[in-house]
């Protein structure tokens, strides 16, 4: 039998009952397309989460104060302690290698009033380097300068959300004055939208010199966060370790487990987030995989029916000289053809689904070549696995009984 | 050349065994037209399966063209069937919804004949079987019983077999059509020198052959030349 003969036989067998062939193929089509679509949506979610973490800053190591552990009595929340000082920050700046830039932060939440409107927003007192460390860009006006920090000037840079909340008439915010906690501040700049949302919305914030925030808002000398940006992504771990060692020494703590601060590495956050989304992708793919399995069982069911229906034909083929292997090949190729065609259509459909999801702006999906190859491989594999048993049954039929079969 | 010596066939089912053939011997020369006749249960179907290499005897030897086929493996028997035997069945067994030409070509596919030679061979076989050329591209389910059986005969002929083994070929046909089909066998035997073995339970059918072997209860009760051969006059199909 030439390849051409086998293909001809397969085609005529599959086209003999088009509805049944189509329905059986549908199982595989749904299975494959959902695997492709789910994996692409999972990948899309993964890269969009990674991108939004990336937008927090570049190669960031964040130092936050730890909780003050007192003996007995109610314990305070982590981060609430007042252990980080400007001296700590300066020590990091001068002693830790491979630092790109460093920002000292004082955060607070205040009621902000302007021309009869008011809003409640987060105040970040920081240094001008904040713009590079946290990827903040100024859209209108300027960020404050080192001089502003040195002289604790009452200047503010506001986020776009604050602008819409405070200046309902759409007037130019730069140059206007706002009142925060009984102090009058002049707006000198508006940041570009970062599109964040939820608890840490970078657009719903007001930035001012940290000295100003310490003077007029918190009233103490402590920092609520030190943002260290490593020179390159590969340096973040080293910077994190050096910062930890340095601060332990600064704070005279010998046991690292009792540190009164904690450090957070941006690449750790990305790794954690991608492992979460990775798990989700696997979950989605597993659900889709089950539908693929069901599709495969559908193939086996159809092939068994076909073998029974064509028992006399199998008997005849054997009588005119077909060997076991000929019959086996014929039925195996039939089921592989079925799953392979279903696989091709499924890949196209899955691709279309993920394109539609992208176009609708739900999530930016990405179909990976590996998932397409995997889907093809799996569909051919299913064809072999679920076609094997029916094909064996066909090839093992006794020709005499097969010819007599009614 | 077919030489069958002391063939037995025993079917075992659980504790009971049934001997369908109890020592059968005969030989058939090339170019003979032989009818094997017997009532149902006589063992003629079992004999036909063994002669057609669909089954092997429990004991005894069967030489086909000098080769002992009584102990061959399934795959070796498949090769023998492909090269030396052409089957014609009572129920035709054509592939449904398939053209006449494709049906006749089927054995050639398994014989690995070159695709470009197949159609010419199939046409030649169909011509020998007496089917009009305009039916060659018809689907098998668009033909009458007599035409279908002639397609089946062409399929049996196409591989140039040593023997054409026809199992009740007229069983599903009316008398007139049956006569025509038997006439086709006679013609193949007389003009082309084909060896034809006809299995039947009807004496009228058996009488179209040159020699009749009668089998009953697993043994041959008579094996003689048929002196009153019923000759079918040439029909213009």
């Amino acid at each position: 039998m030439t390849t051409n003969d086998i293909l001809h036989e397969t085609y005529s067998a599959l086209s003999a009952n088009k509805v049944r062939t189509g329905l059986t193929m549908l199982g595989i089509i749904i299975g494959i397309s959902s695997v492709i679509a789910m994996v692409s949506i999972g990948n899309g979610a993964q890269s969009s989460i990674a991108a939004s973490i990336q937008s927090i800053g570049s190669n960031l190591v964040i130092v936050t104060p730890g909780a003050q552990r007192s003996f007995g009595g109610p314990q305070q929340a982590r981060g609430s302690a007042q252990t980080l000082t400007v001296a700590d920050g300066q020590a990091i700046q001068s002693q830790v290698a491979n630092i790109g830039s460093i920002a000292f932060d004082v955060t607070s939440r205040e009621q902000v009033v302007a021309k009869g409107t008011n809003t409640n927003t987060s105040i970040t007192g920081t240094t001008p380097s904040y713009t590079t460390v946290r990827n903040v860009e100024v859209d209108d006006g300027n960020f404050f300068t080192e001089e502003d920090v040195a002289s604790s000037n009452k200047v503010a840079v506001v986020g776009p959300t604050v602008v819409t909340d405070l200046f309902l008439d759409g007037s130019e915010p730069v140059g206007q004055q706002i009142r925060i906690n009984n102090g009058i501040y002049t707006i000198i700049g508006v940041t570009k939208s970062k599109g964040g949302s939820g608890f840490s919305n970078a657009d719903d914030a007001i930035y001012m010199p940290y000295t100003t925030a310490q003077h007029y808002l918190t009233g103490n000398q402590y920092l609520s966060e030190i943002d260290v940006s490593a020179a390159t992504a590969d340096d973040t771990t080293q910077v994190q370790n050096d910062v930890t060692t340095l601060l332990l020494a600064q704070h005279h703590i010998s046991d690292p487990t009792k540190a009164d601060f904690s450090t957070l590495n941006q690449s750790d956050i990305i790794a954690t987030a991608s492992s979460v989304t990775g798990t989700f992708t696997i979950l989605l793919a597993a659900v889709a995989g089950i539908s693929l399995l069901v599709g495969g069982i559908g193939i086996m069911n159809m092939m068994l029916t076909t073998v029974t229906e064509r028992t006399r034909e199998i008997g005849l083929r054997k009588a005119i000289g077909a060997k076991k292997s000929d019959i086996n090949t014929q039925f195996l190729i039939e089921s592989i053809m079925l799953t392979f065609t279903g696989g091709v259509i499924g890949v196209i459909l899955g691709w279309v689904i993920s394109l539609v999801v992208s176009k609708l702006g739900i999530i930016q999906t990405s179909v990976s070549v590996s998932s397409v190859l995997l889907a093809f491989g799996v569909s051919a594999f299913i064809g072999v696995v679920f076609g094997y048993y029916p094909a064996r049954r066909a090839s093992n039929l006794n020709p005499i009984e097969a010819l007599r079969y009614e | 050349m077919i030489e069958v010596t002391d063939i037995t066939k025993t079917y075992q089912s659980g504790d009971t065994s049934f001997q369908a053939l109890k020592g059968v011997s005969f030989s058939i020369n090339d170019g003979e037209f032989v009818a094997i006749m017997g009532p149902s249960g006589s063992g003629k179907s079992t004999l036909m399966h063994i002669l057609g290499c669909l089954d092997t005897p429990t004991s005894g030897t069967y030489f086909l063209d000098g080769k002992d086929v009584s102990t061959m493996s399934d795959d070796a028997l498949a090769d023998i069937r492909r090269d030396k035997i052409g089957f014609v069945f009572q129920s035709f067994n054509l592939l449904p919804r398939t053209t006449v030409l494709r049906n006749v070509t089927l054995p050639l596919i398994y014989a690995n004949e070159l695709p470009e030679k197949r159609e010419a061979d199939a046409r030649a076989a169909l011509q020998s079987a007496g089917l009009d050329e305009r039916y060659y591209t018809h689907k098998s389910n668009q033909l009458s019983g007599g035409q279908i059986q002639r397609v089946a005969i062409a399929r049996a002929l196409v591989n140039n077999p040593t023997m054409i083994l026809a199992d009740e070929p007229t069983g599903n046909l009316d008398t007139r059509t049956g006569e025509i089909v038997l006439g086709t066998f006679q013609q193949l035997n007389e003009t082309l020198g084909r060896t034809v073995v006809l299995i039947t339970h009807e004496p009228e059918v058996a009488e179209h052959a040159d020699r009749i072997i009668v089998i009953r209860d697993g043994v041959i009760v008579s094996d003689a030349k048929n002196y009153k051969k019923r000759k079918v006059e040439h029909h213009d199909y």
Side-chain angles (χ1 to χ4, degrees), chain A residues 1 5 9 312 317 323, chain B residues 79 91 102 110 112 118:
Chain A
M1 265 184 124
D5 292 329
E9 295 285 328
R312 282 168 69 113
R317 285 176 188 274
K323 292 194 186 60
Chain B
D79 282 342
S91 49
R102 179 83 194 161
Y110 292 109
N112 289 318
R118 290 176 192 164

Side-chain angles (χ1 to χ4, degrees), chain B:
Chain B
M1 178 74 181
I2 293 160
E3 287 172 282
V4 171
T5 317
D6 202 21
I7 273 185
T8 69
K9 181 71 185 179
T10 309
Y11 291 108
Q12 197 79 35
S13 90
D15 290 339
T16 56
S17 65
F18 169 71
Q19 199 170 24
L21 292 177
K22 303 165 180 165
V24 171
S25 304
F26 59 86
S27 61
I28 297 170
N29 289 316
D30 287 346
E32 274 195 89
F33 186 176
V34 182
I36 296 176
M37 192 179 73
S40 69
S42 60
K44 69 175 190 311
S45 288
T46 307
L47 183 59
M48 177 243 152
H49 293 145
I50 291 170
L51 285 180
C53 296
L54 290 165
D55 206 352
T56 50
T58 310
S59 72
T61 57
Y62 170 23
F63 281 89
L64 180 60
D65 283 349
K67 250 187 250 171
D68 185 2
V69 297
S70 50
T71 54
M72 278 186 170
S73 71
D74 281 358
D75 278 355
L77 284 176
D79 282 342
I80 296 285
R81 289 197 295 269
R82 187 188 70 197
D83 299 333
K84 301 200 179 292
I85 296 161
F87 285 97
V88 178
F89 300 101
Q90 177 178 1
S91 49
F92 323 124
N93 283 320
L94 294 195
L95 295 185
R97 295 178 299 273
T98 309
T99 62
V100 165
L101 272 175
R102 179 83 194 161
N103 263 294
V104 178
T105 329
L106 198 62
L108 301 174
I109 290 172
Y110 292 109
N112 289 318
E113 187 168 288
L114 292 172
E116 46 276 20
K117 277 187 68 193
R118 290 176 192 164
E119 191 173 324
D121 284 8
R123 283 177 181 277
L126 279 163
Q127 209 157 15
S128 306
L131 188 74
D132 197 286
E133 197 156 347
R134 70 195 143 110
Y135 297 115
Y136 290 5
T137 50
H138 279 48
K139 298 277 171 70
S140 53
N141 42 334
Q142 297 167 333
L143 303 177
S144 70
Q147 289 166 332
I148 288 177
Q149 198 57 304
R150 277 201 288 276
V151 175
I153 293 170
R155 184 180 62 195
L157 277 175
V158 77
N159 258 349
N160 241 336
T162 305
M163 136 175 83
I164 293 172
L165 194 56
D167 182 21
E168 303 275 12
T170 58
N172 279 358
L173 301 173
D174 61 76
T175 321
R176 208 184 76 84
T177 319
E179 279 287 298
I180 296 171
V181 166
L182 289 169
T184 307
F185 283 119
Q186 286 182 341
Q187 211 182 359
L188 289 173
N189 172 251
E190 284 157 20
T191 60
L192 298 174
R194 295 275 167 197
T195 313
V196 179
V197 177
L198 186 68
I199 317 281
T200 184
H201 68 279
E202 289 175 279
E204 305 89 81
V205 173
E207 279 163 16
H208 289 81
D210 296 317
R211 175 182 159 197
I212 301 176
I213 298 174
V214 181
I215 183 167
R216 186 160 299 170
D217 296 328
V219 289
I220 291 176
V221 292
S222 92
D223 179 355
K225 187 162 167 48
N226 176 21
Y227 290 105
K228 38 176 190 167
K229 180 174 174 182
R230 288 163 72 133
K231 188 83 179 73
V232 180
E233 291 312 313
H234 183 71
H235 288 269
D236 227 8
Y237 309 113

Side-chain angles (χ1 to χ4, degrees), chain A residues 145-195:
Chain A
T145 60
E146 290 292 347
E147 287 87 76
D148 292 320
V149 176
S151 49
S152 311
N153 283 341
K154 287 162 102 173
V155 289
V157 177
V158 298
T161 309
V162 177
V163 172
T164 46
D165 286 351
L166 288 182
F167 303 101
L168 304 171
D169 55 356
S171 60
E172 169 65 33
V174 174
Q176 304 225 36
Q177 296 199 317
I178 49 174
R179 188 207 291 265
I180 306 168
N181 199 7
N182 294 325
I184 304 291
Y185 296 78
T186 310
I187 296 175
I188 58 165
V190 178
T191 62
K192 202 179 250 178
S193 173
K194 284 175 86 174

